Amino acid sequence: MSEITIEKRKEKCENCTKQLGKRQDAQPVLLSACLSCDRCVSDEESQRISQQNLQEINRVLNLNKRCDASKHKVVVVSVSPQSLPFFAVKFHLDIPQAAQKVCGFLKSIGVHHVFDTTVAAGFSILESQKEFVQRHKRRHHDSHALPMFTSSCPGWIRYAERVLGSLVTPHICRAKSPQQIMGSLVKDFFTQQQKLSPDKVYHVVVAPCFDKKLEAIREEFCSSLLETCDVDCVLTSGEVLCMMEQRGVIVEDLESVPLDHIFREADETCLVRHKGRSSEGYMEHIFQHAAKELFGLDIEEIVYKTHRNRDFQEVSLERDGETLLQFAAVYGFRNIQTLVHRMRKGRVPYQLVEVLSCPGGCLNGRGQSEDQAGRVDKALVQQMEEAYSSLPVRLPEMSSDIQQLYQDWLEGGDSPHALQALHTQYSHQEKPHRLPPDIQW
């Protein structure tokens, strides 16, 4: 990761890329690099992040092998859909086959349950769709209703809360990210099904992005009383591969084990994805839903307009020469800065913006896309995109599992339980006064 020197900590984050660009030895500034400087990570956060590593999960697994059953935990691993293409490429398998090899490896070292987080992502998309429609209907009497910014990317959220503040935070969708909804599913629904206390379950998420470690330690996702978090540890895809290499694993020798299901026996259910070339496709899903819900229009095919580059795209809904909806997908810190500058000037024409801090989207997360020299492996990313696109697309509205969970777990989509399990809120946060030690993820 590119390091930012001490003197640059004093510059404003929204100008740091521009300022660094004046230096002959300037390196591209990643959003996570920006967030790791400028006093955005406190000493306590730094310590808690440092505990999310291979040593920690090995510690838990080793405790489970000892005689003192009071310290045993049920170990659950939830794997992001954007991590599976990484393993597929590395193993030279298709995604379903790679998923079964990953599951076989994890269970061979003592993990009890391995889930896929697609159901949680479906919840996040559905709740985001619902919130956008509500915001659109009150846009004339609520100045903060639109534009709505998506909330699935923790790098973007941290930048918004710590740097942009009230300019942006009232506009952020309150639906939890897929990772944190999966945390609610595991520590609430799953523990009830298994008749376990949440602190007796150690929940690990495998994700393509290091910033997910920061998201997992947010105060609202942890219980000081039970000394547990909805997500106890985040490992990147690369860290899991490293664990396999350290143990001398030969992929061909691993047993192929189907992924578990959150509320029924494991089966050979086909893995699916949502829309979008490399992420969960919030822009596409919300666009089609809003067109139908607000204007009665069925959108079969979405036409994209590339604005500045491949990571800044627009979609529009027009009828009789009138623009009804205009959405954008903005990936990467440079494009985010362009968006923010426009917002400061009141020149944002969009009703919804899907924001991701990684250029190229979640598949390009730095926990799986970089080579040993710290550079993006473009060939790997292209192969992952091809593998990901091979999965069939299923709308979250068509998921019978989600509909069943809305009833069996949440007592309905509008219940207080649903609000607590699926939503959070974002606000301006003061930066810590003390400088943390440098963090290199």
Side-chain angles (χ1 to χ4, degrees):
M1 184 186 76
S2 302
E3 294 186 17
I4 300 180
T5 56
I6 295 295
E7 63 268 19
K8 292 300 176 183
R9 295 173 190 254
K10 298 178 181 179
E11 296 180 3
K12 292 183 179 179
C13 291
E14 56 264 41
N15 294 326
C16 68
T17 300
K18 179 179 178 181
Q19 295 296 326
L20 288 172
K22 296 177 180 179
R23 293 168 45 188
Q24 292 182 351
D25 61 341
Q27 297 292 323
V29 178
L30 301 171
L31 180 56
S32 51
C34 176
L35 296 173
S36 293
C37 81
D38 205 17
R39 297 177 287 183
C40 280
V41 180
S42 68
D43 290 334
E44 180 183 359
E45 288 173 327
S46 176
Q47 181 180 3
R48 293 176 67 188
I49 292 169
S50 69
Q51 295 171 349
Q52 298 192 41
N53 52 36
L54 298 181
Q55 290 75 22
E56 184 65 15
I57 187 173
N58 284 329
R59 183 189 67 80
V60 174
L61 293 172
N62 288 333
L63 281 175
N64 281 352
K65 297 176 183 178
R66 298 181 181 179
C67 296
D68 188 356
S70 65
K71 296 183 179 180
H72 289 189
K73 291 181 182 288
V74 174
V75 181
V76 175
V77 174
S78 300
V79 184
S80 163
Q82 286 76 37
S83 288
L84 292 176
F86 171 80
F87 296 109
V89 173
K90 292 295 184 179
F91 298 168
H92 304 288
L93 299 171
D94 63 26
I95 289 180
Q97 292 171 332
Q100 293 195 4
K101 291 293 186 180
V102 171
C103 184
F105 164 68
L106 292 171
K107 292 200 170 184
S108 73
I109 64 173
V111 172
H112 299 95
H113 303 274
V114 182
F115 300 128
D116 153 47
T117 66
T118 301
V119 167
F123 271 116
S124 183
I125 291 169
L126 291 175
E127 294 300 308
S128 299
Q129 290 177 174
K130 185 190 305 183
E131 181 171 336
F132 176 79
V133 170
Q134 294 170 348
R135 283 174 175 263
H136 190 275
K137 290 180 177 179
R138 67 173 191 264
R139 67 192 185 282
H140 294 303
H141 60 269
D142 181 357
S143 61
H144 293 142
L146 298 177
M148 185 177 93
F149 298 111
T150 57
S151 55
S152 63
C153 174
W156 154 245
I157 292 299
R158 193 167 186 83
Y159 178 59
E161 288 187 321
R162 294 294 175 93
V163 180
L164 304 178
S166 58
L167 173 72
V168 166
T169 52
H171 296 270
I172 296 176
C173 177
R174 294 185 178 182
K176 288 182 182 178
S177 71
Q179 171 175 296
Q180 295 310 135
I181 289 180
M182 196 67 200
S184 296
L185 263 170
V186 169
K187 289 297 182 87
D188 185 10
F189 178 78
F190 177 75
T191 55
Q192 290 180 26
Q193 298 297 304
Q194 300 293 316
K195 296 180 172 57
L196 294 167
S197 172
D199 61 307
K200 289 298 182 182
V201 173
Y202 187 77
H203 183 207
V204 181
V205 166
V206 178
C209 175
F210 285 103
D211 289 335
K212 289 293 184 181
K213 295 174 185 280
L214 272 171
E215 180 180 30
I217 64 172
R218 288 179 66 96
E219 183 178 350
E220 63 267 32
F221 302 144
C222 298
S223 169
S224 57
L225 179 63
L226 295 175
E227 296 185 347
T228 186
C229 294
D230 292 341
V231 177
D232 297 292
C233 179
V234 175
L235 297 178
T236 66
S237 317
E239 286 176 309
V240 174
L241 183 64
C242 181
M243 180 191 293
M244 298 176 73
E245 293 172 346
Q246 289 175 353
R247 293 171 180 261
V249 170
I250 299 174
V251 174
E252 290 77 10
D253 295 341
L254 284 172
E255 182 181 358
S256 295
V257 180
L259 296 174
D260 296 303
H261 196 282
I262 195 70
F263 59 82
R264 62 168 181 260
E265 294 297 321
D267 55 31
E268 299 289 341
T269 301
C270 178
L271 289 169
V272 298
R273 67 178 177 92
H274 297 123
K275 293 178 181 290
R277 74 174 190 268
S278 63
S279 304
E280 294 296 349
Y282 283 83
M283 179 180 71
E284 291 87 348
H285 284 286
I286 299 173
F287 183 76
Q288 290 183 309
H289 176 78
K292 178 67 174 179
E293 187 73 15
L294 296 171
F295 305 105
L297 299 176
D298 291 308
I299 306 299
E300 299 296 333
E301 182 178 358
I302 297 177
V303 178
Y304 300 89
K305 175 185 176 183
T306 300
H307 190 269
R308 292 170 56 87
N309 48 57
R310 186 170 179 251
D311 286 333
F312 200 133
Q313 294 191 321
E314 299 177 0
V315 295
S316 298
L317 178 66
E318 297 181 356
R319 182 174 61 186
D320 299 330
E322 178 186 4
T323 300
L324 303 176
L325 293 174
Q326 192 171 3
F327 288 9
V330 177
Y331 299 171
F333 194 25
R334 292 183 184 275
N335 287 328
I336 291 174
Q337 287 180 316
T338 298
L339 174 70
V340 171
H341 288 320
R342 288 185 178 184
M343 192 170 184
R344 292 190 189 280
K345 296 179 180 179
R347 297 178 181 173
V348 177
Y350 314 115
Q351 291 85 43
L352 176 125
V353 185
E354 179 186 1
V355 189
L356 298 174
S357 64
C358 289
C362 294
L363 282 180
N364 200 27
R366 291 174 47 253
Q368 65 181 25
S369 66
E370 293 185 349
D371 59 23
Q372 292 183 346
R375 294 184 296 264
V376 173
D377 186 334
K378 295 182 179 179
L380 171 61
V381 172
Q382 182 177 353
Q383 288 177 292
M384 288 193 292
E385 288 183 356
E386 292 171 356
Y388 188 67
S389 65
S390 70
L391 290 175
V393 174
R394 184 179 67 187
L395 296 177
E397 293 92 332
M398 304 302 294
S399 170
S400 58
D401 293 339
I402 292 177
Q403 298 308 318
Q404 183 174 344
L405 284 166
Y406 265 122
Q407 299 305 317
D408 295 350
W409 172 36
L410 301 171
E411 301 95 38
D414 298 317
S415 69
H417 194 178
L419 183 65
Q420 179 271 331
L422 305 180
H423 292 259
T424 186
Q425 57 185 346
Y426 304 99
S427 60
H428 176 62
Q429 296 181 8
E430 294 295 331
K431 299 176 186 177
H433 294 295
R434 297 176 61 190
L435 283 174
D438 290 335
I439 297 174
Q440 294 190 29
W441 290 333

